Amino acid sequence: MLSRNIIKNLAVAICGTSLFTLVAASKAQATTITFDDGTTNISVGNFYSDQGVTFYNASFSSNFELPGSSGLLGFNATNGVYQPTSLTPIIGFFSQAQNFVSIRGIDVGANGIRLDALDADGNLLTFDEFFGTGLGVGIFHDLSVTGDKIRSFRLYQPQNLIGDGVVFDNLTFTAQPTAVLEPTAVPEPATVLGLLMASAFGVTSHKKEDKHKEKPTSIV
């Protein structure tokens, strides 16, 4: 018969192997919002909260079908229409940590555009900015930031040199990967039985060899 210790040790080894292979990293999921499902001059607010982001000081607006537009609508600042500043920025809050954020600026002129990425405490993690020329006619640019645990972002024009406005469109963000448990194959009963039998045979053979060994003769 198989000893209880053999069965116990094999069971622990098999279960342990399975458990260690359960831990894996979830794939990052990217979300893109085009803002074409909104209504002009209405606050964006929590319109996209079910997709993981809410807005402050942002309203749906026409993008005037300018170069870089993906549809008929984008968004701009509710306060300071088309010209958000560092004092009146557009702010987006994420429901969970992100590691990538990008946004398109349309009609970007000399006042430029800037994207700040912030952590949960409001600290600046990183930023990206771009400056066009003149009133920015026909100029568009995608800003993007990558960082660890991005929880919000700010959008604004870093300069206020001329009466140059901007429209934003096409927000994309990618959630921070998290550890998840994924099911793995469990050894078939026949496989487990085979391991037990092989172990038992090895132990039995070892005992027989020990039994048949000649005892050393005493020297008188």
Side-chain angles (χ1 to χ4, degrees), residues 43-154:
S43 174
V44 181
N46 60 5
F47 194 87
Y48 298 106
S49 59
D50 60 340
Q51 295 185 52
V53 61
T54 58
F55 287 82
Y56 169 78
N57 191 32
S59 296
F60 291 103
S61 69
S62 172
N63 55 33
F64 308 104
E65 299 184 54
L66 292 167
S69 302
S70 62
L72 297 178
L73 297 182
F75 68 97
N76 60 31
T78 302
N79 298 319
V81 188
Y82 300 113
Q83 296 187 57
T85 68
S86 58
L87 297 179
T88 58
I90 295 170
I91 304 176
F93 300 94
F94 296 115
S95 59
Q96 68 180 92
Q98 309 292 319
N99 63 11
F100 174 80
V101 181
S102 73
I103 191 77
R104 174 166 294 179
I106 297 172
D107 199 41
V108 185
N111 286 341
I113 51 175
R114 173 162 165 154
L115 170 64
D116 290 344
L118 312 171
D119 64 15
D121 296 319
N123 299 311
L124 180 64
L125 294 172
T126 184
F127 71 92
D128 189 18
E129 62 182 8
F130 171 80
F131 294 91
T133 57
L135 295 178
V137 179
I139 301 175
F140 64 92
H141 183 80
D142 291 331
L143 297 176
S144 63
V145 289
T146 302
D148 187 40
K149 299 179 180 179
I150 300 172
R151 294 307 300 267
S152 65
F153 63 86
R154 289 189 301 236

Side-chain angles (χ1 to χ4, degrees), residues 183-201:
T184 188
V186 177
E188 294 291 336
T191 302
V192 176
L193 180 60
L195 290 171
L196 292 173
M197 293 300 293
S199 178
F201 179 76

